[in-house]
C-alpha cells in the first residue's frame, strides 16, 4: 500500500524535467535589490521594450535582434494606444548585444 504524505514534504531527486517541492514555511525572504540595481534593471527592460524607430515603449519585449523594431513599424500600421506606454523623453538603447 502506498504511503500517503503531504506534497510539500516530497523530495524528488535531481532530474532535468522535475524540480523540488519546498516547504513555504521554511523559505527565507528574498534579498531586496539596491536602488542602483533596480535602476539598472529598469533601464535594461526599457531597452528591450522600446522601439528604436518610433520610440514607443511597449508592455512586452520586442524582437530587436531579428526584426529590429516593433511590429507596427515593421508592417507599416498604427498601433492601438493600449499596447504601448507614452513617454515624454526619448530613450537611448545601450544594450551590449
Amino acid at each position: 500500500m502506498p504511503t500517503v504524505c503531504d506534497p510539500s514534504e516530497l523530495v524528488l531527486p535531481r532530474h532535468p524535467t522535475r524540480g523540488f517541492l519546498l516547504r513555504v514555511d521554511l523559505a527565507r525572504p528574498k534579498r531586496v535589490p539596491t536602488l542602483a540595481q533596480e535602476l539598472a534593471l529598469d533601464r535594461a527592460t526599457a531597452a528591450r521594450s522600446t522601439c528604436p524607430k518610433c520610440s514607443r515603449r511597449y508592455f512586452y519585449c520586442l524582437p530587436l535582434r531579428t526584426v529590429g523594431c516593433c511590429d507596427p513599424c515593421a508592417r507599416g500600421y498604427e498601433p492601438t494606444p493600449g499596447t504601448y506606454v507614452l513617454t515624454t523623453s526619448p530613450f537611448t538603447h545601450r544594450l551590449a548585444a
Side-chain angles (χ1 to χ4, degrees):
M1 193 168 206
T3 306
V4 178
C5 61
D6 188 24
S8 65
E9 296 173 357
L10 291 176
V11 177
L12 300 175
R14 291 191 185 266
H15 193 272
T17 60
R18 293 175 182 85
F20 290 103
L21 296 175
L22 304 174
R23 291 181 47 189
V24 177
D25 59 339
L26 298 179
R28 292 186 304 189
K30 187 174 75 168
R31 186 176 60 89
V32 178
T34 63
L35 290 177
Q37 289 173 334
E38 286 184 6
L39 180 64
L41 288 172
D42 186 48
R43 286 182 178 169
T45 303
R48 294 176 64 191
S49 62
T50 305
C51 178
K53 290 186 179 180
C54 64
S55 299
R56 291 185 182 111
R57 184 171 176 180
Y58 288 86
F59 293 111
Y60 52 89
C61 293
L62 298 174
L64 297 177
R65 284 190 181 180
T66 55
V67 180
C69 59
C70 63
D71 195 44
C73 288
R75 296 186 183 193
Y77 65 90
E78 190 66 25
T80 57
T83 59
Y84 62 90
V85 180
L86 295 174
T87 57
T88 56
S89 62
F91 182 80
T92 307
H93 289 280
R94 296 181 186 201
L95 286 178

